[in-house]
Amino acid sequence: MTAEHPSRYGGTAAVPASDTWDVRRLNLPSPLWGSNGVAFGPDGRLYAAQFLAGQISAVDPATGDVETVVPMDGPVQSPDDLAFGADGSMFITDLVPGRVWRRSPQGAYTLVSDQVKVPNGITCIGNRLFVNEMRMNGRLLELFPDGDDAPKVLTEGLALGNAMQLGPDGHLYYPHMVTGQVWRIPPDGGAPELVAEDVHEPVAVRFDQGGVLMVLSRGAAGIVTRIDLHGTGSRSVVTSGLVGLDNAAFDGENRMFVSSFATGGITELRPDGRTREIVPRGLDGPFGVTVDLAGTVYAADHYRVAGPESRAADGTDYVRTHVLRPFAHGISTEGGLLHLTSQYGEVTTYDPGDGTTRVRASGLRRPTGISARPDGTLVVAEADAGRIVAVGTDDTVTELAGGLDRPVDVAFDAEERCYVSDERRGAVLRIDGGQAVTVADGLEAPQGLAVLGDEVFVVETGSRKLRAVSLTTGEHRTDAEDLPVGLPPGTGPRTEPALFTNGMPGVPRPFAGLTAAPDGSLLLSANGEGTVLRLTPRAGTTVHRAGSSGGEETS
């Protein structure tokens, strides 16, 4: 398969080459790593912040063309919202390190403030700059980019602030995400006033060109609440079906363009709820990947559990959200249940049948890969603790092996022997009696791991290769090259992401997952471009069915 598609991974990405496997995408590449704050710039383009990537792109709303303007290896680490001043400067909230930046029209960066904790919502009134904090008891502040004045606190007590805007009455409007309220305050200070309550999961407030207040919901239904502030204060609700709305911007023709932290892309949302795709939505990651016995593919996509599916209406590919699940990274399926790790310390079990979630373990240090044994025990790579742990059916956590460098993924062979990829050590290990035995070394940042018959397959994110290692002879073989995993080619080194800053989760560490399907194919998380790849053995090659005891079958 040689088809090429526009991609966030270096412009246009071809399907990886392999002499052993037929490789195809299960969904199209995603142009954005999620989409957060959006605002129209002086050039008429829509600028979209991408928290997960640490970059900002400019989108032509007429063509959907995307250009990276603030690169991911620049000074801005985790942009979450942005606004433009009267002189054309772009102001950016850098959420994780707690900084606010100014980018001049010529592209020069200046630090405006590092005194704002978890800065998120940002707006300009002429040359005045206002920022709020996404934390409990957060503040709303005025900053002074052109002077030495200390930030001026307008009010405190915000219950997670977010996207805000000046209203037609001259007040600043902002949401409280935790309490479901919208508030306003004069930009020169004063007592804040409650505008609306019982608003569905508010994440952003925006005014259309007619002065009507729109409140976006961050939930799964894509709800937008329209509030008429001119008359009776009546409300109407539009349910768009756009999962995880984050922000919105209106153009001069009063067209509403929305972003999504969960699915990325840019979408025009019309007043009646109809949508028009400007930039395609898709996967933010993906991270871990798994497949059940029925062939349903699930990907852990940081903010949700999602999976590629074929859309019968027009034959194109898209991605279905199975459930919004914050910070999902590792995933495994067993007995109709989904087992998930959160990079921020939790192991959970989700039941798709009744929608319930059970916390199995917490307080772990960046758990990543997870695999379920037939007896129901969950085995987890606890990356920052350098160990492998088992979570029993009674939720007891037991260490299976310690003293590792950075274990990322785990997999089992037919005899239930546990294999581990150690990214920092550059090795695949087998756990024997609590000790780590080297199966293969000299690898470049190995992550995703899967076993088929007497071979273990590993994704080398450093060299962008799929490597096969014989468990009987130890011989290596390269099975695929030029995998779209990790940072785009040419991207400089980035700061190692902090796990938490000011009590808030930081930018996640990438994880390119791999799993073996029951039919002998492999599924790989191509997190560089936002796809899941299926690798099927070429006709005439020998394959091993997943879960077999080493028997061979010719495809």
Side-chain angles (χ1 to χ4, degrees):
M1 182 176 181
T2 59
E4 296 185 347
H5 302 280
S7 172
R8 68 195 186 195
Y9 197 74
T12 302
V15 173
S18 173
D19 294 329
T20 310
W21 306 83
D22 284 319
V23 184
R24 69 181 182 95
R25 294 183 176 95
L26 298 188
N27 60 291
L28 296 179
S30 176
L32 302 176
W33 270 274
S35 51
N36 303 97
V38 289
F40 277 100
D43 58 1
R45 295 189 295 175
L46 185 64
Y47 287 73
Q50 296 148 73
F51 169 82
L52 291 178
Q55 73 176 24
I56 297 174
S57 300
V59 175
D60 185 329
T63 65
D65 291 342
V66 178
E67 178 190 358
T68 300
V69 176
V70 175
M72 61 174 59
D73 52 2
V76 181
Q77 294 182 28
S78 53
D80 202 88
D81 203 359
L82 71 156
F84 285 91
D87 66 351
S89 293
M90 180 196 302
F91 294 94
I92 307 162
T93 49
D94 197 353
L95 188 145
V96 174
R99 298 177 182 139
V100 179
W101 295 92
R102 177 186 201 166
R103 181 183 183 272
S104 74
Q106 294 75 36
Y109 295 90
T110 305
L111 181 63
V112 174
S113 175
D114 58 3
Q115 302 300 308
V116 186
K117 297 180 178 180
V118 200
N120 195 332
I122 187 169
T123 193
C124 293
I125 304 175
N127 286 318
R128 297 177 69 182
L129 177 65
F130 299 86
V131 174
N132 66 33
E133 297 176 324
M134 194 180 70
R135 65 185 180 104
M136 294 304 295
N137 198 32
R139 301 173 296 171
L140 196 161
L141 309 100
E142 181 174 5
L143 304 182
F144 302 95
D146 296 320
D148 296 327
D149 295 341
K152 176 184 176 182
V153 178
L154 272 66
T155 188
E156 299 178 314
L158 275 65
L160 298 194
N162 210 311
M164 60 182 178
Q165 190 175 15
L166 183 72
D169 58 359
H171 287 66
L172 279 172
Y173 286 70
Y174 54 94
H176 281 196
M177 290 199 292
V178 171
T179 62
Q181 299 171 324
V182 176
W183 292 74
R184 68 181 178 186
I185 191 171
D188 291 327
E193 178 185 356
L194 179 64
V195 175
E197 52 188 341
D198 297 323
V199 182
H200 187 269
E201 299 185 47
V203 68
V205 294
R206 286 291 180 259
F207 287 90
D208 70 7
Q209 299 292 355
V212 176
L213 176 62
M214 305 286 190
V215 186
L216 282 70
S217 164
R218 65 185 184 277
I223 292 173
V224 176
T225 302
R226 176 187 174 106
I227 304 176
D228 182 3
L229 300 176
H230 298 300
T232 63
S234 61
R235 300 187 190 185
S236 60
V237 172
V238 170
T239 302
S240 68
L242 299 172
V243 179
L245 293 174
D246 192 285
N247 213 305
F250 288 86
D251 68 5
E253 299 177 8
N254 207 31
R255 294 181 299 179
M256 183 180 188
F257 298 87
V258 298
S259 62
S260 168
F261 66 85
T263 65
I266 299 294
T267 305
E268 181 185 351
L269 177 57
R270 292 168 179 163
D272 59 2
R274 290 180 299 150
T275 61
R276 182 173 70 93
E277 193 173 76
I278 307 300
V279 176
R281 300 182 296 277
L283 292 168
D284 288 351
F287 296 83
V289 63
T290 191
V291 57
D292 64 18
L293 293 176
T296 302
V297 177
Y298 300 91
D301 201 35
H302 190 69
Y303 295 113
R304 59 177 177 158
V305 174
E309 294 188 358
S310 177
R311 180 164 36 183
D314 57 10
T316 61
D317 291 335
Y318 83 122
V319 175
R320 172 189 172 193
T321 299
H322 294 285
V323 63
L324 280 175
R325 186 66 192 162
F327 317 134
H329 279 213
I331 188 167
S332 178
T333 183
E334 175 268 332
L337 302 175
L338 294 175
H339 307 290
L340 302 158
T341 64
S342 159
Q343 181 168 263
Y344 307 108
E346 279 192 344
V347 176
T348 58
T349 294
Y350 172 71
D351 187 339
D354 59 18
T356 59
T357 297
R358 170 185 166 194
V359 177
R360 308 294 301 276
S362 59
L364 301 182
R365 293 171 55 193
R366 213 186 297 254
T368 311
I370 183 171
S371 187
R373 293 198 309 220
D375 65 0
T377 300
L378 306 179
V379 177
V380 178
E382 191 179 357
D384 281 7
R387 63 176 188 160
I388 305 300
V389 298
V391 181
T393 55
D394 61 353
D395 300 342
T396 299
V397 177
T398 306
E399 181 178 295
L400 299 182
L404 309 182
D405 289 338
R406 184 187 285 170
V408 175
D409 205 5
V410 291
F412 290 92
D413 64 14
E415 299 177 18
E416 294 190 32
R417 293 177 297 186
C418 180
Y419 296 84
V420 179
S421 60
D422 192 315
E423 181 180 22
R424 186 174 288 151
R425 189 178 298 187
V428 173
L429 313 170
R430 184 177 63 245
I431 306 303
D432 287 344
Q435 299 299 313
V437 178
T438 300
V439 175
D441 57 11
L443 306 177
E444 297 185 50
Q447 292 188 349
L449 199 65
V451 179
L452 281 173
D454 65 349
E455 290 185 314
V456 59
F457 295 86
V458 59
V459 180
E460 284 188 81
T461 59
S463 63
R464 299 171 52 207
K465 296 177 180 178
L466 176 68
R467 186 82 71 176
V469 181
S470 171
L471 298 178
T472 55
T473 68
E475 295 179 347
H476 294 208
R477 183 182 71 246
T478 298
D479 269 15
E481 298 182 279
D482 300 321
L483 299 175
V485 295
L487 299 177
T491 301
R494 300 183 66 193
T495 303
E496 172 71 13
L499 193 57
F500 287 93
T501 302
N502 293 318
M504 296 297 294
V507 177
R509 185 185 291 153
F511 169 37
L514 185 71
T515 195
D519 64 357
S521 65
L522 293 172
L523 295 164
L524 187 152
S525 293
N527 58 10
E529 66 176 17
T531 65
V532 174
L533 303 180
R534 184 185 291 277
L535 291 78
T536 305
R538 290 186 181 274
T541 60
T542 299
V543 301
H544 301 274
R545 296 294 182 184
S548 72
S549 58
E552 297 181 353
E553 184 171 331
T554 300
S555 176

